[in-house]
Amino acid sequence: PRIRSSLPHRSMPACALSPVGHLLAPPSPGVRENFRDPICSCRPSAKTNLGLVFEHPAAIQFSAAMLERHPLSPQSFFPLSVQRYLVVVCGAHNNGDPNLDSLDAFECRGDQAVTYTAGTWHMGIKTLDAPGVFAMLVHEDNSALDCEFREVEPFEVRVSAA
């Protein structure tokens, strides 16, 4: 396959996912931070699905050609037994197709959670150092609008050593 682009990943700054998502990092000691709005459902018929996801670590360099999105629901990942993980996201064109020009890759620490906004195209989450488990939160009603997969022009991601 032809490689569209090569995406070196970088550490995730707090504002990096805007407008396609939110980074949830540990609060200051004694402080409670609430994130109600980023995880609200857009569909009254959708039920909250809290799942567990086991992932194997990504290779140092790999090619990907599949993205997914949840058109009407945000999706959150909370690392439970993960040191570092990879987030690959992109926005959408006005017609809803993935905007590969906005494709970006980030490294998140194991004490950071991530929420993709509804409609955000993303690659499946990948651990970086060892197999790991995430809690995943999404709103679903068992319809075609729960999740959409799309084959895209292949792109390559390079992962740095820890």
Side-chain angles (χ1 to χ4, degrees):
R2 187 170 78 78
I3 302 301
R4 182 198 155 274
S5 63
S6 185
L7 288 174
H9 82 283
R10 60 185 188 272
S11 293
M12 172 81 83
C15 61
L17 280 178
S18 183
V20 297
H22 305 275
L23 181 69
L24 289 70
S28 301
V31 173
R32 173 180 160 170
E33 290 186 43
N34 296 308
F35 299 95
R36 185 176 307 110
D37 291 340
I39 61 170
C40 287
S41 176
C42 300
R43 297 178 288 172
S45 63
K47 303 292 185 217
T48 302
N49 177 7
L50 177 61
L52 296 177
V53 179
F54 179 91
E55 283 297 327
H56 290 285
I60 298 290
Q61 188 166 338
F62 63 92
S63 180
M66 181 70 67
L67 294 175
E68 68 177 270
R69 73 173 178 166
H70 309 274
L72 298 176
S73 174
Q75 184 182 35
S76 299
F77 287 93
F78 304 91
L80 299 179
S81 61
V82 176
Q83 292 176 358
R84 299 184 309 146
Y85 63 100
L86 182 68
V87 168
V88 178
V89 295
C90 73
H93 290 291
N94 289 339
N95 66 1
D97 289 340
N99 179 357
L100 297 182
D101 291 333
S102 68
L103 201 60
D104 217 342
F106 299 99
E107 174 188 324
C108 292
R109 300 185 317 257
D111 66 349
Q112 296 173 314
V114 65
T115 297
Y116 304 126
T117 57
T120 295
W121 289 101
H122 59 92
M123 192 181 80
I125 203 149
K126 300 284 184 198
T127 62
L128 291 176
D129 300 307
V133 176
F134 295 87
M136 182 272 311
L137 181 73
V138 68
H139 305 284
E140 299 173 323
D141 65 1
N142 295 317
S143 74
L145 294 175
D146 285 346
C147 189
E148 178 182 352
F149 290 91
R150 182 78 55 89
E151 286 189 33
V152 297
E153 191 174 345
F155 59 92
E156 192 169 285
V157 178
R158 291 188 317 270
V159 175
S160 308

